[in-house]
């Protein structure tokens, strides 16, 4: 049954945050903006301030949209003016909802806005349509729960849906949990132990639905699915194949060995040697590096490990251990093929008269079977990785000198000797060196322990 909104009869003027300084009073009214003798629509202004992120169910179907500030002003809760800045953020979110729902617009999905619990008493709340809007409440030490209860009860009566935002070890007031049965759990920095403990604790308190947000990697998504979280949100969830990826096929014993090495604070070069032959481990490592640092650009496994350091590795490996499944014989065959290509390219890069990077060549060869391993296009699998553009182009399109070397390695898998000789000549490598590299690579791949 559709719940009708009962806002005041007068039309509400939408507002956005236009603060000039952290120290100045927040000004929220939208001013007329002229550019080249044309007026900018308020919705266009808001689009520059707000972004949207989809919320998904367990199989990847969209269920709602969160409206979020592109840059949050209230970044420091301890700042003297943090409340004013947060009020500005929340007012901007209200204005964004107005721009989406004004003039009777019909939305495909409900809109969620994450606001301070104190902002529920804001005048703008009365003008929001309950059939389209959901509040996710942030609690802080200054929030007066008792004084907010009548407002929350009234908004629930009007048909608004609500959720409570929760971080690890955060205590949620029981009087709110008695009214609000949906909790949004920030999983961005949680390890497996904290994540499992927090979810179990929330269920014990009577929470009926849990939405995991800030999911940035496949490991977090898989772990949350296994812990029976109800909905999912985050940058990784927005990738085309997030919910249709094959499970992470890695030997759990290998992960435990790596965890032991990290705990004993082994050098990163030792850890690299323990994992570099395992294609799926390397791919997941690169994806995780991108998740924690969107600006990262690497050209070797060593550079990826340096991005994480030991503490980051420990968290990632603990997630991976709880998100992995044993590799199938078919997957092992493909991973051995990728390893053989990697070893050939690494070896021949040192024999070529062209200037080559052995570590980059190794990475190209290793990742060159990802499309067959995961059943998706190479572009959709490689583009999200933090690889420099030359490496990515070589893997996806086999372009440049790097791509030519990959073609040479791939040609050794067939019986066309003329093709091998052709690519060897173009790479300035002797066929004798190619044959020796191929034999050595095959032996090492078969004895690698995959």
């Amino acid at each position: 049954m559709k719940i009708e909104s009962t806002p005041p009869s007068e039309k509400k003027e939408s507002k956005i945050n236009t603060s000039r300084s952290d120290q100045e009073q927040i000004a929220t009214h939208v001013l007329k903006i002229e550019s080249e003798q044309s007026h900018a629509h308020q919705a266009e202004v808001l689009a520059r301030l707000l972004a949207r992120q989809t919320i998904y169910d367990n199989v990847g179907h969209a269920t709602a949209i969160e409206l979020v500030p592109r840059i949050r002003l209230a970044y420091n809760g301890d700042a003297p003016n943090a409340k004013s800045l947060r009020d500005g953020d929340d007012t901007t979110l209200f204005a964004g909802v107005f721009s989406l729902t004004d003039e009777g617009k019909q939305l495909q999905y409900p809109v969620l806005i994450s606001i301070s619990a104190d902002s529920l008493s804001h005048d703008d709340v009365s003008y929001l349509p309950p059939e389209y809007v959901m509040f996710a409440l942030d609690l802080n030490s200054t929030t007066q729960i008792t004084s907010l209860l009548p407002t929350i009860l009234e908004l629930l009566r009007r048909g608004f849906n609500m959720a409570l935002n929760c971080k690890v070890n955060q205590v949620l007031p029981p009087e709110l949990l008695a009214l609000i049965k949906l909790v949004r759990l920030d999983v961005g920095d949680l390890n497996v132990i904290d994540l499992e403990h927090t979810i179990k604790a929330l269920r014990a308190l009577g929470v009926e639905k849990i939405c995991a947000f800030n999911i940035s990697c496949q490991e977090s998504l898989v772990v949350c699915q296994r812990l029976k979280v109800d909905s999912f949100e985050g940058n990784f969830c927005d990738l085309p194949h997030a919910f249709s990826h094959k499970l992470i096929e890695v030997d759990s014993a290998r992960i435990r060995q790596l965890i032991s090495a990290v705990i004993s604070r082994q050098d990163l070069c030792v850890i690299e040697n323990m994992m570099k032959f395992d294609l799926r481990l390397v791919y997941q490592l690169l994806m995780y590096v991108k998740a924690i640092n969107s600006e990262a650009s690497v050209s070797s496994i060593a550079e990826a490990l340096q991005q994480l350091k030991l503490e980051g590795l420990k968290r990632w490996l603990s997630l991976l251990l709880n998100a992995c499944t044993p590799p199938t014989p078919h997957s092992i065959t493909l991973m051995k093929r990728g390893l053989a290509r990697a070893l050939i390219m690494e070896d021949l890069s040192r024999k070529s008269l062209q200037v080559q990077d052995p570590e980059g060549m190794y990475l190209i060869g290793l990742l060159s079977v990802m499309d067959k391993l995961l059943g998706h296009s190479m572009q959709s699998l490689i583009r999200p990785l933090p690889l420099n553009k030359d490496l990515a182009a070589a893997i996806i399109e086999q372009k440049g000198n790097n791509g030519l070397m990959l073609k040479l390695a791939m040609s050794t898998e067939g019986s066309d000797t003329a093709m091998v000789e052709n690519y060897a000549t173009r790479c300035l490598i002797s066929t004798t060196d190619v044959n020796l590299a191929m034999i050595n690579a095959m032996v090492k791949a078969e004895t690698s322990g995959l």
Side-chain angles (χ1 to χ4, degrees), residues 272-289:
E272 178 187 0
N273 289 330
M274 293 175 63
M275 66 180 298
K276 66 181 295 185
F277 63 92
D278 190 324
L279 163 59
R280 196 60 199 272
L281 259 176
V282 172
Y283 180 77
Q284 295 302 134
L285 168 68
L286 293 171
M287 286 289 287
Y288 189 72
V289 167

Side-chain angles (χ1 to χ4, degrees), residues 72 86 114-118 136-140 143 163 165-166:
R72 272 206 178 274
R86 183 57 190 265
S114 185
I115 62 173
S116 166
D118 300 320
L137 307 181
D138 284 325
L139 304 176
N140 55 56
T143 301
N165 288 332
C166 178

Side-chain angles (χ1 to χ4, degrees), residues 338-406:
L339 177 57
R341 290 180 185 178
L343 292 167
I344 289 172
M345 294 180 66
E346 182 183 41
D347 189 353
L348 294 181
S349 67
R350 298 187 174 98
K351 307 283 180 62
S352 174
L353 296 179
Q354 297 170 340
V355 177
Q356 304 283 5
D357 173 23
E359 291 185 336
M361 291 297 101
Y362 184 94
L363 202 49
I364 291 170
L366 196 68
L367 296 172
S368 65
V369 298
M370 283 306 305
D371 54 344
K372 294 180 176 60
L373 184 64
L374 295 185
H376 298 299
S377 71
M378 193 66 87
Q379 177 153 333
S380 66
L381 295 170
I382 301 301
R383 288 298 181 200
L385 300 180
L387 299 176
N388 70 48
K389 61 181 182 180
D390 291 337
L391 296 189
I395 300 169
I396 297 170
E397 305 172 86
Q398 297 174 11
K399 281 189 172 181
N401 291 334
N402 296 341
L404 191 62
M405 187 75 83
L406 175 58

Side-chain angles (χ1 to χ4, degrees), residues 235-428:
N235 294 333
F236 179 80
C237 299
D238 294 328
L239 293 179
H241 310 297
F243 290 87
S244 60
H245 266 297
K246 291 182 180 179
L247 288 176
I248 303 171
E249 295 183 327
V250 179
D251 185 352
S252 60
R254 185 168 299 131
I255 302 175
R256 290 190 180 94
Q257 291 171 354
L258 285 164
I259 292 175
S260 296
V262 170
I263 292 174
S264 62
R265 307 193 72 81
Q266 295 284 337
D267 288 338
L268 290 179
C269 61
V270 174
I271 294 171
E272 178 187 0
N273 289 330
M274 293 175 63
M275 66 180 298
K276 66 181 295 185
F277 63 92
D278 190 324
L279 163 59
R280 196 60 199 272
L281 259 176
V282 172
Y283 180 77
Q284 295 302 134
L285 168 68
L286 293 171
M287 286 289 287
Y288 189 72
V289 167
K290 186 66 173 181
I292 65 167
N293 181 6
S294 61
E295 302 300 321
S297 177
V298 303
S299 57
S300 68
I301 299 170
E303 289 180 5
L305 290 171
Q306 288 165 7
Q307 289 278 334
L308 294 186
K309 305 292 191 296
L310 290 176
E311 288 306 313
L313 273 172
K314 182 179 177 181
R315 178 178 182 273
W316 168 61
L317 289 168
S318 70
L319 285 170
L320 183 60
L321 181 62
N322 288 270
C324 69
T325 188
T328 64
H330 176 67
S331 297
I332 292 174
T333 299
L334 286 172
M335 288 193 286
K336 285 181 178 179
R337 183 186 303 173
L339 177 57
R341 290 180 185 178
L343 292 167
I344 289 172
M345 294 180 66
E346 182 183 41
D347 189 353
L348 294 181
S349 67
R350 298 187 174 98
K351 307 283 180 62
S352 174
L353 296 179
Q354 297 170 340
V355 177
Q356 304 283 5
D357 173 23
E359 291 185 336
M361 291 297 101
Y362 184 94
L363 202 49
I364 291 170
L366 196 68
L367 296 172
S368 65
V369 298
M370 283 306 305
D371 54 344
K372 294 180 176 60
L373 184 64
L374 295 185
H376 298 299
S377 71
M378 193 66 87
Q379 177 153 333
S380 66
L381 295 170
I382 301 301
R383 288 298 181 200
L385 300 180
L387 299 176
N388 70 48
K389 61 181 182 180
D390 291 337
L391 296 189
I395 300 169
I396 297 170
E397 305 172 86
Q398 297 174 11
K399 281 189 172 181
N401 291 334
N402 296 341
L404 191 62
M405 187 75 83
L406 175 58
K407 289 179 180 178
L408 171 58
M410 294 169 65
S411 71
T412 63
E413 299 165 2
S415 57
D416 190 339
T417 56
M419 182 181 294
V420 175
E421 291 175 357
N422 175 47
Y423 285 127
T425 301
R426 294 169 64 185
C427 291
L428 305 180

Side-chain angles (χ1 to χ4, degrees), residues 20-200:
R20 294 181 181 178
S21 165
D22 288 357
Q23 304 300 323
E24 295 176 353
Q25 182 178 359
I26 300 298
T28 55
H29 287 286
V30 174
L31 303 178
K32 292 183 178 180
I33 300 175
E34 294 186 1
S35 176
E36 296 181 359
Q37 300 180 347
S38 64
H39 295 279
H41 295 291
Q42 181 167 305
E44 294 174 336
V45 176
L46 289 168
R48 299 177 186 179
L49 300 177
L50 298 174
R52 306 182 194 189
Q53 190 156 59
T54 305
I55 301 170
Y56 302 90
D57 64 14
N58 193 48
V59 294
H61 296 149
T63 60
I65 300 292
E66 182 182 4
L67 209 60
V68 295
R70 292 188 183 276
I71 300 176
R72 272 206 178 274
L73 296 179
Y75 56 90
N76 185 352
D78 297 327
N81 55 349
K83 185 180 186 306
S84 296
L85 292 172
R86 183 57 190 265
D87 289 345
D89 276 346
D90 292 351
T91 302
T92 302
L93 288 172
F94 295 148
V97 176
F98 293 145
S99 71
L100 292 174
T101 60
D102 63 358
E103 299 177 357
K105 292 177 184 176
Q106 301 293 312
L107 301 183
Q108 184 178 5
Y109 302 108
V111 175
L112 180 143
I113 53 175
S114 185
I115 62 173
S116 166
D118 300 320
S119 292
L120 286 178
S121 57
H122 197 289
D123 290 342
D124 284 351
V125 172
S126 301
Y127 298 88
L128 299 176
E131 63 268 35
Y132 293 127
V133 180
M134 179 178 189
F135 299 115
L137 307 181
D138 284 325
L139 304 176
N140 55 56
S141 58
T142 62
T143 301
Q144 299 297 318
I145 303 301
T146 303
S147 62
L148 276 178
L149 287 177
T151 302
I152 291 174
L153 285 167
E154 173 59 21
L155 292 172
L156 291 172
R157 185 196 66 79
R158 285 184 53 198
F160 284 101
N161 288 315
M162 292 191 188
L164 296 175
N165 288 332
C166 178
K167 295 183 179 293
V168 66
N169 298 325
Q170 181 177 2
V171 177
L172 298 177
E175 56 267 43
L176 287 185
L177 288 174
L179 300 173
I180 301 172
K181 299 299 184 180
L182 169 60
V183 167
R184 296 175 74 239
L185 178 60
D186 185 350
V187 303
D189 295 321
L190 296 188
N191 59 39
V192 171
I193 295 175
D194 286 339
L195 183 57
E196 184 175 13
H197 173 77
T198 303
I199 289 175
K200 286 182 177 179

